[in-house]
Amino acid sequence: WLFPESVLRDETPSRKDGVAPEMEAHERLRGCNLIHVVARKLDIPRTCCATAQMMFHRFYVEKSFRKHDKNEVATACIFLANKVEEYPKKVFVIVKAVRECLRQAPLREKTKEYVELRERIFQTERLVLHTLRFEFDFPNPYNTMMEFVQHKLNATKQFAQQGWIFLNDSYLTDVCLQFPTSTIAAAAIYATARSMGVSLPSTPEPWFKSLAESEAQLEAITAKVREAQRKQQERAAARTSRGGSAAPGGASAAAAASTGSGQPVLKRAAPPPPVRPRVPSLHALPGAGAGAG
């Protein structure tokens, strides 16, 4: 499930249906934004959220945004990811949260409208399963980043927090379709070091050699994630200037403004705990458990 950038830019089903690369990137961001906000609302572990977002990205490598509603696909991905990661939730609970985040009218569980929507979600879940070829391997970069920060860099708590946030924001882009998780973890370290003015070891060999092939890869990932963060900030600022409420936490790198179509506000994920000598289990990290960042 790794593809050259040229394939993702020029050869996806959405592109064949006339969707421009910039619009597809925007739709990916909005769909993964929705997954993130619903995960926080329902206290879904960060592992489940990341898995759902990766499912969403992989699905639209094979399917077109013009033919499959992103909100229903996102809902199905949340439902399926929670089962894969063994944190199941009833589909009604997820649908209710999605509609609240999209600022849509609530549905009662026994109504015809809800039953029809539920069946569409079940059908979409089956389509996602078939599209992903029933593959359930969804690696994430969090443990790799934390292990390196703790054991190789002896970095500060703030460094670990910023790296964690960068990884959360990376799922708003398609970098998980272009690079291995170890390279994305290295990019989080690289971007954090640059933003904090921290020097990374360069001798006897570059610090990233065990994680990535080249510094150019890290630069490419950083540029894509920073661009997504910039767009989120602009949307938050535009919403505030129109008289709406600011995104939670202000116009931060992980804040997203709501648009006229009801896209929810993206909250920044909870950071990891202070760096400790031992690497904690991912399920024990805030944002991977009850904090559901």
Side-chain angles (χ1 to χ4, degrees):
W1 288 97
L2 295 179
F3 305 88
E5 184 177 3
S6 59
V7 170
L8 298 175
R9 184 184 62 243
D10 302 326
E11 301 179 21
T12 63
S14 294
R15 200 74 63 257
K16 295 174 182 177
D17 281 345
V19 179
E22 296 78 11
M23 180 55 67
E24 180 168 353
H26 180 69
E27 294 295 272
R28 286 182 181 277
L29 184 150
R30 286 167 64 86
C32 288
N33 176 12
L34 176 60
I35 292 170
H36 178 89
V37 177
V38 172
R40 284 181 62 89
K41 188 177 187 67
L42 296 180
D43 287 338
I44 291 173
R46 181 60 212 174
T47 48
C48 289
C49 181
T51 294
Q53 290 170 318
M54 187 174 285
M55 287 178 174
F56 184 89
H57 281 302
R58 290 181 177 183
F59 179 83
Y60 282 108
V61 173
E62 302 286 339
K63 303 296 181 183
S64 172
F65 277 100
R66 286 208 185 277
K67 296 176 180 175
H68 301 278
D69 180 83
K70 67 178 180 297
N71 293 334
E72 292 189 5
V73 172
T75 304
C77 287
I78 296 169
F79 182 56
L80 179 57
N82 274 268
K83 291 194 286 187
V84 170
E85 298 290 347
E86 299 182 350
Y87 291 95
K89 288 188 179 291
K90 292 182 177 179
V91 68
F92 178 73
V93 173
I94 296 173
V95 168
K96 181 174 182 288
V98 168
R99 292 183 69 85
E100 288 175 357
C101 290
L102 293 174
R103 299 171 186 173
Q104 297 174 344
L107 293 178
R108 293 185 179 181
E109 193 167 2
K110 303 299 183 181
T111 62
K112 178 181 178 181
E113 185 180 0
Y114 168 70
V115 171
E116 291 176 348
L117 175 58
R118 182 188 63 190
E119 288 307 308
R120 291 202 306 274
I121 298 303
F122 288 153
Q123 292 172 6
T124 303
E125 180 197 22
R126 290 191 290 271
L127 178 60
V128 170
L129 280 168
H130 282 279
T131 302
L132 302 185
R133 307 179 190 98
F134 293 88
E135 294 180 13
F136 299 117
D137 181 26
F138 299 100
N140 70 68
Y142 292 96
N143 273 344
T144 301
M145 189 273 291
M146 289 298 294
E147 286 181 6
F148 199 94
V149 165
Q150 292 176 3
H151 293 304
K152 300 293 181 65
L153 300 181
N154 193 27
T156 65
K157 172 185 175 181
Q158 184 183 5
F159 191 102
Q161 289 174 331
Q162 293 303 310
W164 187 271
I165 291 167
F166 182 94
L167 292 181
N168 291 343
D169 291 344
S170 74
Y171 281 96
L172 300 178
T173 76
D174 61 2
V175 297
C176 65
L177 299 174
Q178 296 184 57
F179 301 97
T181 54
S182 62
T183 305
I184 298 172
I189 297 169
Y190 175 81
T192 300
R194 288 180 62 179
S195 66
M196 296 181 64
V198 174
S199 297
L200 296 171
S202 58
T203 57
E205 64 179 11
W207 64 271
F208 57 80
K209 279 300 183 182
S210 63
L211 301 175
E213 294 179 3
S214 68
E215 188 171 349
Q217 290 182 322
L218 310 186
E219 291 176 349
I221 295 170
T222 298
K224 183 164 283 194
V225 175
R226 293 304 191 208
E227 176 65 12
Q229 292 171 336
R230 183 187 64 78
K231 290 179 179 178
Q232 297 291 69
Q233 286 181 299
E234 289 178 353
R235 291 174 63 197
R239 174 175 169 79
T240 301
S241 67
R242 291 196 300 267
S245 59
S252 66
S258 173
T259 67
S261 61
Q263 184 66 11
V265 171
L266 176 61
K267 299 178 182 179
R268 177 168 290 192
V275 178
R276 300 185 179 91
R278 295 181 60 192
V279 179
S281 165
L282 184 59
H283 293 291
L285 293 172

